[in-house]
Amino acid sequence: MTPERQFESPRLNNELSCLNCVARNSGFCGTIIGKSSRRSPSRQERISRAFLSAAEQDILSAHGNASQEMFVLCTGWAFRFYQLADGRRQLLSILVPGDLFSAFGLFDPRPGYSVQALTDVRFCQLDRADLKRELTAEPSILDALGKICAVEIDDLNAASADLGRGNANERIVHFALRLAKRLSARGMTIRKNCYPFPLSDTDIADITGLTEAEVGRVIAGLRRNNVIDISDGKLLILNPAGFEGNASAG
Amino acid sequence: MTGPTSQFSEKTGCNNCIMRGLGLCEVAIGLGLDHPDPGGAVPISQKKLSAPARRTVFRKDELMDSVPIVCEGWAVSVAGLSNGRQQILSILLPGDLLSGSLLFEQRLSWSVNAVTEVCCRCFNRSELRDVLATSPKTFDRLSLAYTVERNRIDQLAIDLGQRTAEQRVARLILNLRDRSAERGWVHDQAFDFPLRQTHIADATGLTSIHVNRVIGGFRSHGLVEISDRSLKIVNPEGLRNLAEG
């Protein structure tokens, strides 16, 4: 029996900064911080922030805990999830470098979800009041955040449509294609059609509402039929053309 | 067959609306129509749009120049999958914003269908956005509505991914009861319920046959009564216990 892991709180990491962050030009930072820093070099300084590190599986943000900060993932992977009383969990979204834990964090100081590190992570906490002041001062930044919110809504709706009406194959393929599209947009590719993929079968099961056994069977079938392959921490899209049209429900 | 109809450039018409006290409409009305908010800018142009029951009100990929709020009737936002399958993403009641995304994106990512005859008021997006930055009240109300929308989608994913058929249907009924109660429509635990079994099935990821069995079970256990487009929760505690598993 595996001993129960003792989770640690995220640690302040003063060695980090935005200057040499790989995510600075992508995702939330590329849209908001990067954009604003070009217009006004001092804008970054006007938003109080701190950098933290956490280990794989650590809880980064707990359901219902009030926070005065918004969080953006700098390195590593994490996921947003909801845990039911009986221990089951539903993964709501996968977070990669440059992602806010949720774009709605600005409006939602007491989130109804938790965030857990999938790998070792570094992340940045931004003062919500500072950020809100900057957003309302410059409509283009508010617009950018609003568009990020809209993308989050679209992605969640597409995932829900698959959960409600998609078969096991569709749930997994559509999830993989949506993730691949996001990773491509961030330049997070290993080679053409090949992406890093640190999720386990359990994680995939908790995203797609399937059992681990179903996930194993479906992935084996998709591999046999040259649709996608998930192995050795990599996602390989073998026949994107065949599924591209169904990638997002709507 | 009759499609949606619209009239442009109205600046009044909300005077007698029973929804005007509900958060979002209050902001839109207060900013421009009857009692301008000193913090607001200019009146927000709007157009009225009506659609008969069971018609598509807005189509997926439609380019929208406005942000609609449902004034009367029930509607559903729907995602279509291949082979004609569809998933209801949200049930829209009077006072509901169609989607906060429309404040920032022109293209609608899903369709909206009328359940009953529906009337919407569509507020000019650029005018509404102009007041976002100048009116903290508008900013807070719209961001709250947008956050509620995101939380609702989270709950839908949790329901569909992890909860049993009975829990999904019970939670749908309780959610509609709570939202109807906010609007003052619940009397003695009874409220209007124009949804058909196919709507419930498409909202909960079940088949109509399965929904029929679940509702039949609720009735036989004395949890709910459904008759003539009305639903009464006979045993609220029992239904809540079932919903929470």
Side-chain angles (χ1 to χ4, degrees):
Chain A
M1 189 173 158
T2 312
E4 191 170 323
R5 186 191 159 102
Q6 296 297 308
F7 294 116
E8 291 183 11
S9 298
R11 302 169 302 281
L12 272 174
N13 187 332
N14 294 321
E15 293 170 2
L16 294 171
S17 84
C18 293
L19 288 175
N20 45 13
C21 178
V22 292
R24 113 173 237 127
N25 293 318
S26 64
F28 171 76
C29 298
T31 308
I32 310 283
I33 305 291
K35 187 177 191 172
S36 59
S37 66
R38 280 195 299 274
R39 289 183 174 206
S40 163
S42 63
R43 185 178 296 283
Q44 283 188 59
E45 305 308 320
R46 293 206 296 268
I47 301 174
S48 304
R49 61 197 193 282
F51 295 91
L52 299 104
S53 300
E56 177 184 339
Q57 294 188 44
D58 281 353
I59 299 294
L60 311 181
S61 168
H63 176 197
N65 278 5
S67 167
Q68 295 307 311
E69 288 87 25
M70 283 182 77
F71 300 95
V72 59
L73 194 63
C74 305
T75 63
W77 290 48
F79 55 82
R80 206 166 60 81
F81 73 104
Y82 181 88
Q83 187 135 27
L84 282 79
D86 62 5
R88 285 173 300 149
R89 61 178 191 167
Q90 178 67 39
L91 267 60
L92 300 166
S93 47
I94 302 297
L95 306 173
V96 298
D99 278 342
L100 286 159
F101 286 4
S102 168
F104 291 85
L106 182 70
F107 319 123
D108 194 7
R110 196 180 292 274
Y113 53 81
S114 303
V115 177
Q116 187 170 11
L118 191 59
T119 65
D120 290 350
V121 295
R122 292 168 173 181
F123 60 104
C124 177
Q125 65 178 32
L126 302 159
D127 184 87
R128 179 186 289 107
D130 287 352
L131 195 54
K132 189 172 173 181
R133 191 187 57 240
E134 296 299 318
L135 287 171
T136 49
E138 188 168 336
S140 67
I141 300 181
L142 176 63
D143 191 51
L145 183 70
K147 285 181 188 295
I148 294 174
C149 287
V151 169
E152 184 172 323
I153 292 267
D154 278 358
D155 221 34
L156 291 168
N157 273 332
S160 288
D162 276 339
L163 281 169
R165 288 304 188 212
N167 61 34
N169 278 333
E170 289 168 323
R171 293 185 199 189
I172 291 179
V173 171
H174 291 172
F175 164 70
L177 289 177
R178 283 194 299 272
L179 182 62
K181 189 175 170 186
R182 287 175 56 209
L183 295 175
S184 286
R186 303 281 167 88
M188 292 177 64
T189 53
I190 296 171
R191 59 179 186 276
K192 190 180 179 189
N193 291 329
C194 183
Y195 306 88
F197 194 85
L199 286 82
S200 66
D201 281 3
T202 311
D203 298 326
I204 300 172
D206 289 346
I207 292 166
T208 54
L210 304 171
T211 63
E212 276 183 70
E214 284 175 303
V215 168
R217 273 200 303 275
V218 168
I219 290 177
L222 292 169
R223 184 182 301 125
R224 261 196 318 277
N225 293 315
N226 284 324
V227 179
I228 62 171
D229 188 10
I230 295 172
S231 55
D232 300 327
K234 296 190 198 75
L235 162 67
L236 190 58
I237 309 289
L238 297 165
N239 180 16
F243 269 83
E244 206 73 63
N246 293 327
S248 61
Chain B
M1 287 185 28
T2 316
T5 58
S6 65
Q7 302 157 347
F8 284 84
S9 299
E10 289 195 13
K11 302 259 184 191
T12 57
C14 299
N15 289 354
N16 302 317
C17 180
I18 57 169
M19 291 303 119
R20 59 175 298 150
L22 281 175
L24 209 54
C25 292
E26 185 187 25
V27 168
I29 295 165
L31 276 169
L33 297 175
D34 305 323
H35 305 288
D37 182 336
V42 292
I44 300 169
S45 303
Q46 55 170 284
K47 60 185 175 185
K48 186 179 173 187
L49 186 146
S50 304
R54 297 190 290 281
R55 294 289 187 275
T56 299
V57 189
F58 302 102
R59 294 186 188 283
K60 178 182 185 294
D61 292 332
E62 187 171 331
L63 290 176
M64 312 269 290
D65 60 0
S66 59
V67 181
I69 294 177
V70 178
C71 298
E72 295 169 29
W74 288 41
V76 289
S77 61
V78 176
L81 280 83
S82 57
N83 301 329
R85 291 167 296 167
Q86 61 177 21
Q87 175 66 41
I88 290 179
L89 302 170
S90 62
I91 296 167
L92 301 165
L93 305 183
D96 282 344
L97 183 69
L98 204 68
S99 171
S101 297
L102 289 171
L103 280 161
F104 306 100
E105 296 287 357
Q106 278 194 297
R107 193 177 295 276
L108 192 63
S109 300
W110 52 86
S111 299
V112 176
N113 298 336
V115 175
T116 65
E117 186 178 349
V118 165
C119 170
C120 299
R121 281 190 182 268
C122 308
F123 292 89
N124 182 289
R125 180 187 18 255
S126 60
E127 291 178 23
L128 197 51
R129 272 180 30 172
D130 283 347
V131 299
L132 270 179
T134 55
S135 167
K137 187 178 175 187
T138 311
F139 184 92
D140 289 344
R141 287 288 173 84
L142 286 171
S143 56
L144 176 65
Y146 207 9
T147 305
V148 166
E149 181 181 349
R150 199 286 314 277
N151 291 343
R152 174 187 49 69
I153 305 170
D154 276 357
Q155 284 303 318
L156 177 63
I158 296 160
D159 286 351
L160 295 173
Q162 302 298 334
R163 292 193 164 109
T164 65
E166 287 75 13
Q167 287 175 321
R168 295 182 205 180
V169 177
R171 290 171 63 81
L172 177 74
I173 291 170
L174 289 168
N175 174 273
L176 289 170
R177 192 273 312 268
D178 292 346
R179 291 167 64 196
S180 295
E182 286 171 11
R183 290 158 170 81
W185 296 344
V186 177
H187 304 287
D188 193 22
Q189 291 293 333
F191 56 99
D192 279 348
F193 193 81
L195 299 182
R196 294 157 181 256
Q197 283 189 355
T198 51
H199 291 125
I200 301 174
D202 286 343
T204 54
L206 304 171
T207 62
S208 291
I209 296 169
H210 202 162
V211 168
N212 190 34
R213 274 205 300 272
V214 170
I215 299 271
F218 287 2
R219 281 175 161 145
S220 62
H221 284 91
L223 295 172
V224 302
E225 288 172 1
I226 301 179
S227 61
D228 193 25
R229 291 164 53 100
S230 167
L231 188 147
K232 179 171 183 173
I233 300 178
V234 181
N235 180 354
E237 194 179 341
L239 193 64
R240 187 162 297 284
N241 287 341
L242 177 64
E244 290 171 359

